[in-house]
Amino acid sequence: MEHLTIDALRTMARAQGLELSDEDLAAVLPLVQVGRGLMESLAAVPLDDVEPSSQFRIF
Amino acid sequence: MTDLVWKSMVELARLIASKEVSPVEVVEAHLSRIAALDGTLKSYITVMGDSALQAAKAAEAAVTAGDGLGPLHGVPIGLKDVYCTKGVKTTGGSKILADWAPTEDATVVSRLTAAGAIVLGKLNMHEFAYGPEGLNPHYGTPWNPWDKATHRICGGSSSGSGAAVAAGIAPGALGSDTGGSIRIPASLCGITGIKPTYGRVSRAGVLPLAWSLDHVGPMCRTAADCALMLGAMAGYDPRDPTTSVLPVPDYLAALTGQVKGLRIGVLRAFYLESTDPAVRALVESAVKTLEGLGASAQEVNLELPKHAAAASYAVISPEAYAYHEGWIKTRPRDYGSDVRQRLLVGAFVSGADYLKGQRVRAVMRDEVDRALARLDVLVCATTPMPAPAVGQKEVRIGAENQPVRPNLIRFTRPFNMTGHPAASVPCGFTAEGLPAGLQIIGRPFDEATVLRVADAYQRATDWHTRRPPVAS
């Protein structure tokens, strides 16, 4: 996965109307990087034919 | 008067109905204790003293008049400050909503007060329920009553609920649980709490953290009290379309004290193997106690909970961001820095990742369902360690230093992802005098069995009757 930088994060934030301070960008960047790493780990989970599920709803 | 604050809710309801105790005495005893202790504990954000006393006088008049009484008639409760209360501030533990007074009650608040409960006040919490420590920069971080000398966390996000119930300044409280926020403070504060099945209890009028993961439930000192509260709260609500129409059983009647023949799965890999040895020994001793009561235990391993952190990241982050997007753009500095930064993460999760998280939830749920097809309940530690100090970043688990935050939530979060009911009951104390919790997980909508196991364990042990040093 491509390395994420503070500038890239700032651009992504601005694209959705978020003006973040340098302090927040620096704090959020490692959290996003950890999250992206976690998402890569999900490649090991077989999800063929699995539909998204979010709730029990028994009527 | 002092003894009244240590009575169970079941006992208080009985004493009030039989006219042995007045609801006014009960409420006054709790208000006095709040005044004496809560300057240190910081468990309440808003104390509703006047309205509580007014309700207690009305409850007393109803008893005297021989009116029909609800199952919680005259019994006080506290509400985590995510529950909307008509005309009373509902802050979410935030500065954002510091002065917001809703125009109607949450469904569960209406149901509990209709059952006769009297609201003592609104309880402190991690800001907007987004943190497992229970910290709060705006209203003060609640003090764990089990350590008088060191400011330890209560666990979160329902930290005020945990502290108040443990310290005898509320006999029972509402918590909410998106990744463990009922069970973690129950474990760290030495009380009992249950996160019911997703859909068992209405979320209408409850400030959301993540809609598809949020659960509403009681936190009390005993499993029987949780059964009493849950019975009054549960059931279909047209205001919450995710609630189930399945009938609500009589949870108190299910507490037979019997677990003979019950099949218990002890979660080993991922769970007990990565639990602090002292906590692990207490959990294993609790399993032996249940075996001594006639249950059978076998080890079971789940493979998918190791992916719960990733799936949770994909789901909770964008759901939380979606709810807060307006405020985070216009009032970012009104959030505490930890919650603001965690909320912002959700802006960088793609739709595809969100749905991948939801797909992983489906396979996780299938795996737990398969285990529970041959077992009645699963058990493990609620948290891998006892309460750390406020500000502590790492904790020693076995031979390794581990970060506090992800470990607090490690064992509870999988069952928010799957929606299964899960309770925490106190199962002993470490050498430092800090409580540990046993987590009991059941089949969907089988809270009755979870509570039956918890209650049977409490009939055989006395951990839940111990009183913390701050409250002695």
Side-chain angles (χ1 to χ4, degrees):
Chain A
M1 186 180 289
E2 195 174 329
H3 183 64
L4 195 60
T5 65
I6 282 195
D7 284 340
L9 202 64
R10 192 192 318 273
T11 302
M12 291 163 69
R14 282 182 177 158
Q16 49 189 312
L18 272 171
E19 278 298 332
L20 302 187
S21 66
D22 288 346
E23 176 202 356
D24 277 342
L25 284 165
V28 170
L29 180 64
L31 301 178
V32 174
Q33 284 171 329
V34 166
R36 285 158 64 102
L38 285 170
M39 290 310 298
E40 284 187 349
S41 73
L42 290 184
V45 183
L47 293 175
D48 292 347
D49 302 324
V50 176
E51 291 193 9
S53 174
S54 61
Q55 60 191 234
F56 291 97
R57 194 170 178 178
I58 299 174
F59 287 99
Chain B
M1 287 286 270
T2 308
D3 281 350
L4 285 178
V5 302
W6 293 112
K7 298 284 186 201
S8 72
M9 300 174 82
V10 170
E11 180 70 352
L12 284 174
R14 188 191 68 76
L15 290 169
I16 289 167
S18 62
K19 301 182 186 176
E20 292 171 70
V21 169
S22 158
V24 176
E25 286 177 86
V26 176
V27 167
E28 283 178 343
H30 283 90
L31 291 176
S32 298
R33 196 165 170 81
I34 290 169
L37 292 179
D38 212 46
T40 301
L41 290 173
K42 299 193 187 315
S43 61
Y44 281 85
I45 290 175
T46 303
V47 178
M48 297 162 58
D50 290 344
S51 62
L53 277 173
Q54 196 177 351
K57 285 173 186 165
E60 184 183 63
V63 174
T64 306
D67 293 348
L69 308 180
L72 285 160
H73 189 86
V75 178
I77 58 168
L79 306 175
K80 183 179 183 180
D81 211 10
V82 288
Y83 290 89
C84 287
T85 39
K86 185 179 179 180
V88 177
K89 276 194 310 181
T90 299
T91 69
S94 76
K95 189 174 172 183
I96 298 277
L97 295 175
D99 299 313
W100 181 57
T103 54
E104 59 183 348
D105 284 339
T107 293
V108 287
V109 174
S110 300
R111 288 184 178 179
L112 288 168
T113 52
I118 294 173
V119 178
L120 290 170
K122 309 296 290 291
L123 292 160
N124 203 349
M125 53 185 283
H126 206 110
E127 184 178 10
F128 282 120
Y130 209 1
E133 302 96 331
L135 311 174
N136 195 297
H138 310 295
Y139 302 96
T141 293
W143 188 292
N144 191 311
W146 288 98
D147 191 335
K148 213 166 184 171
T150 303
H151 189 183
R152 291 182 184 274
I153 64 168
C154 293
S157 62
S158 312
S159 45
S161 303
V165 173
I169 57 177
L174 282 181
S176 65
D177 192 318
T178 307
S181 291
I182 286 172
R183 291 159 289 158
I184 295 166
S187 174
L188 301 192
C189 292
I191 64 168
T192 307
I194 182 167
K195 175 198 82 68
T197 312
Y198 188 87
R200 179 75 290 181
V201 179
S202 170
R203 294 172 295 106
V206 185
L207 297 177
L209 171 55
W211 297 278
S212 73
L213 294 164
D214 292 343
H215 297 67
V216 166
M219 298 169 70
C220 308
R221 287 191 288 271
T222 69
D225 286 355
C226 285
L228 178 65
M229 275 188 80
L230 185 60
M233 294 156 56
Y236 175 70
D237 175 16
R239 292 173 65 198
D240 178 356
T242 64
T243 49
S244 170
V245 294
L246 285 176
V248 178
D250 183 339
Y251 295 118
L252 273 175
L255 307 183
T256 60
Q258 298 297 319
V259 291
K260 193 172 181 182
L262 202 88
R263 298 160 301 173
I264 297 172
V266 182
L267 294 171
R268 181 71 53 182
F270 182 80
Y271 289 93
L272 283 187
E273 286 172 2
S274 52
T275 298
D276 173 77
V279 174
R280 177 176 170 164
L282 294 169
V283 169
E284 287 174 334
S285 175
V287 172
K288 286 200 187 315
T289 298
L290 290 167
E291 285 183 299
L293 295 172
S296 64
Q298 60 181 275
E299 291 188 9
V300 59
N301 290 324
L302 299 175
E303 291 298 320
L304 291 170
K306 66 186 177 197
H307 296 297
S312 176
Y313 162 82
V315 174
I316 194 172
S317 309
E319 289 196 19
Y321 178 76
Y323 178 70
H324 287 274
E325 184 178 17
W327 289 324
I328 204 105
K329 285 179 175 173
T330 56
R331 302 174 60 186
R333 297 294 139 189
D334 284 344
Y335 290 90
S337 58
D338 77 319
V339 169
R340 180 178 68 252
Q341 288 156 3
R342 216 165 320 147
L343 284 170
L344 286 169
V345 169
F348 304 102
V349 177
S350 71
D353 282 351
Y354 175 75
L355 287 167
K356 184 178 279 187
Q358 295 287 26
R359 294 170 77 194
V360 171
R361 289 178 72 176
V363 293
M364 285 177 66
R365 193 178 65 212
D366 286 348
E367 185 183 39
V368 177
D369 280 343
R370 280 198 303 277
L372 286 167
R374 58 191 172 83
L375 297 161
D376 296 297
V377 292
L378 306 173
V379 300
C380 60
T382 307
T383 57
M385 73 285 204
V390 171
Q392 188 176 332
K393 298 294 182 203
E394 289 192 332
V395 64
R396 191 92 177 156
I397 298 178
E400 291 182 45
N401 282 339
Q402 301 267 3
V404 165
R405 179 169 281 171
N407 276 284
L408 277 173
I409 208 164
R410 179 178 164 85
F411 297 162
T412 51
R413 175 165 51 194
F415 306 106
N416 293 81
M417 304 302 289
T418 67
H420 290 81
S424 180
V425 294
C427 66
F429 292 82
T430 65
E432 294 170 289
L434 299 172
L438 173 74
Q439 185 174 210
I440 305 166
I441 303 108
R443 297 179 184 128
F445 297 100
D446 192 14
E447 288 79 8
T449 298
V450 172
L451 289 166
R452 176 160 62 94
V453 174
D455 172 69
Y457 179 71
Q458 291 185 330
R459 292 186 194 202
T461 59
D462 68 355
W463 307 117
H464 60 291
T465 67
R466 308 280 176 98
R467 296 177 188 176
V470 165
S472 296

